[in-house]
Amino acid sequence: MLDRLYMPLLALAAAGAVALAMVWPQGLGDRSPDPFGHPPVQRSPEVQAAMKREHEAAMRRTDQAREAVRNIQNEALAPSQ
């Protein structure tokens, strides 16, 4: 393709991508600039509490799995009679 045609199209596409990034709905991160943004969902107290409960449950499951592996290893090393 001719550079005369390709480079302006590439610049236009880049400018379009930047413009789209400025107005696209935000994800779960920080707030978008004023005319487009809304408070992030993750910062609401209900979601924070749910995330904490989920984290604590995952930690309990991890601890239970580790304990089960420890018990299996202990049983394999010194079987009870």
Side-chain angles (χ1 to χ4, degrees):
M1 186 181 280
L2 295 175
D3 284 345
R4 252 188 332 193
L5 185 59
Y6 178 70
M7 290 300 172
L9 285 177
L10 187 61
L12 186 62
V18 169
L20 183 63
M22 291 175 63
V23 298
W24 191 258
Q26 72 184 41
L28 298 176
D30 282 336
R31 183 178 162 87
S32 294
D34 260 340
F36 310 110
H38 57 80
V41 174
Q42 283 183 325
R43 292 196 183 161
S44 68
E46 300 85 22
V47 174
Q48 289 284 328
M51 288 170 55
K52 184 176 181 182
R53 284 191 308 270
E54 184 179 337
H55 174 70
E56 289 170 352
M59 293 303 291
R60 278 194 304 275
R61 285 192 304 271
T62 301
D63 290 341
Q64 289 172 350
R66 286 181 180 154
E67 186 65 29
V69 169
R70 247 185 248 117
N71 290 339
I72 291 170
Q73 289 174 341
N74 290 339
E75 191 66 30
L77 292 175
S80 60
Q81 296 179 16

